[in-house]
Amino acid sequence: MRAATVLASLVTSALSLVLLAAPAQAASTVDYVALGDSYSSGVGAPGQSGTCLRSNNSYAAQWAARNSPASFQFLACGGAVTDDIVNTQAPAMRSGADLVSITIGGNDAGFAPTLLTCLTSSDSACAAKVDSGKAYVRNTLPGKLDAAYQAIRAKAPGARVVVLSYPLIFDTSSLLCEMSVAKRRSLNSGAQALDDMIRNRAEANGFVYSEVRDEFSGHGVCSARPYLNGLTVIPPQNSYHPNTNGYTYGYLPALTSAA
């Protein structure tokens, strides 16, 4: 009886080791490329460097550090728009990439100007600016996203491409916040419209769409435990971007589950 128990324990331990080792072995053969904008470069977290403000606390760098891929190209750049994917980032990819991750579209839709308007203007002016962004997302962004996605596919025809969404930035339950509840709801509705279009075009192009809103739920700006920075003065670019927890507990799990 004791021998059978020991044997079962050994088998279970060996199986556990195999299961734990398998992801690392699989990842070690993967050529991984991180494309996109500031939400992929790691703006909002410590350790940003260079003109693209890349940080080792970004979800992309964390995934690479944890999974030891065969190669890792970190091409994401703060401020990037879809044209930068077409003209700069996709052409810089080494051929033969197996895994590609990307966030893109927020800057095309006016992320920074919209937030600035909402910070400095009335509720109605904020809503009008968000509505203008929604019109762009509805009428112009689809073609821009298609061009970016097609440039990626042309350079990496066999890659698994994971398109990550943007979170809803604000918690709307807190009464104390740098923006009114009306403004927060307007901005969240704009983020929702953007994510819906990104999902539509990503799936139409055969890519994997990974939603981060569940991971960020309850952790918006002005919540008790935010995964995003509110308005920051030093450095100003961190405003309304994920903090380290946002990349670690928000974006990283979303990439891991999709990759």
Side-chain angles (χ1 to χ4, degrees):
M1 186 71 172
R2 183 175 180 277
T5 301
V6 171
L7 179 60
S9 178
L10 288 172
V11 170
T12 301
S13 298
L15 180 59
S16 297
L17 287 172
V18 169
L19 291 173
L20 287 170
Q25 291 172 350
S28 68
T29 66
V30 169
D31 293 306
Y32 170 43
V33 181
L35 304 176
D37 55 22
S38 54
Y39 272 62
S40 289
S41 71
V43 171
Q48 299 164 51
S49 63
T51 57
C52 284
L53 302 172
R54 297 181 184 124
S55 169
N56 286 335
N57 290 298
S58 69
Y59 72 83
Q62 287 194 59
W63 190 93
R66 295 182 185 205
N67 291 278
S68 300
S71 67
F72 172 44
Q73 265 191 298
F74 198 3
L75 301 176
C77 193
V81 295
T82 50
D83 286 348
D84 293 313
I85 304 300
V86 174
N87 298 321
T88 305
Q89 294 187 26
M93 292 171 60
R94 289 192 290 267
S95 59
D98 303 296
L99 175 65
V100 178
S101 66
I102 186 171
T103 57
I104 202 68
N107 291 320
D108 293 76
F111 173 77
T114 300
L115 282 164
L116 182 60
T117 295
C118 290
L119 275 168
T120 59
S121 302
S122 65
D123 290 354
S124 59
C126 174
K129 186 67 172 176
V130 171
D131 286 343
S132 176
K134 287 181 179 178
Y136 181 93
V137 166
R138 185 170 57 251
N139 299 319
T140 305
L141 188 61
K144 293 282 192 178
L145 291 173
D146 285 347
Y149 296 156
Q150 288 161 16
I152 296 168
R153 180 56 75 210
K155 195 65 184 282
R160 181 176 183 83
V161 181
V162 179
V163 178
L164 295 139
S165 76
Y166 296 96
L168 301 184
I169 294 176
F170 289 96
D171 175 81
T172 56
S173 62
S174 173
L175 295 178
L176 297 176
C177 191
E178 62 250 36
M179 291 200 203
S180 68
V181 173
K183 290 178 179 179
R184 283 178 268 163
R185 286 175 176 163
S186 290
L187 286 162
N188 283 351
S189 73
Q192 180 71 63
L194 175 61
D195 283 342
D196 289 345
M197 184 56 70
I198 289 170
R199 178 172 194 158
N200 177 283
R201 299 325 304 155
E203 293 179 346
N205 281 275
F207 292 168
V208 178
Y209 176 81
S210 187
E211 180 60 70
V212 302
R213 288 199 299 270
D214 288 345
E215 286 84 357
F216 279 84
S217 179
H219 299 286
V221 173
C222 299
S223 66
R225 292 192 304 122
Y227 281 2
L228 300 110
N229 300 296
L231 179 65
T232 60
V233 177
I234 302 175
Q237 73 268 10
N238 283 0
S239 298
Y240 308 113
H241 283 80
N243 54 31
T244 300
N245 282 341
Y247 288 116
T248 303
Y249 303 116
Y251 271 99
L252 181 60
L255 173 59
T256 300
S257 64

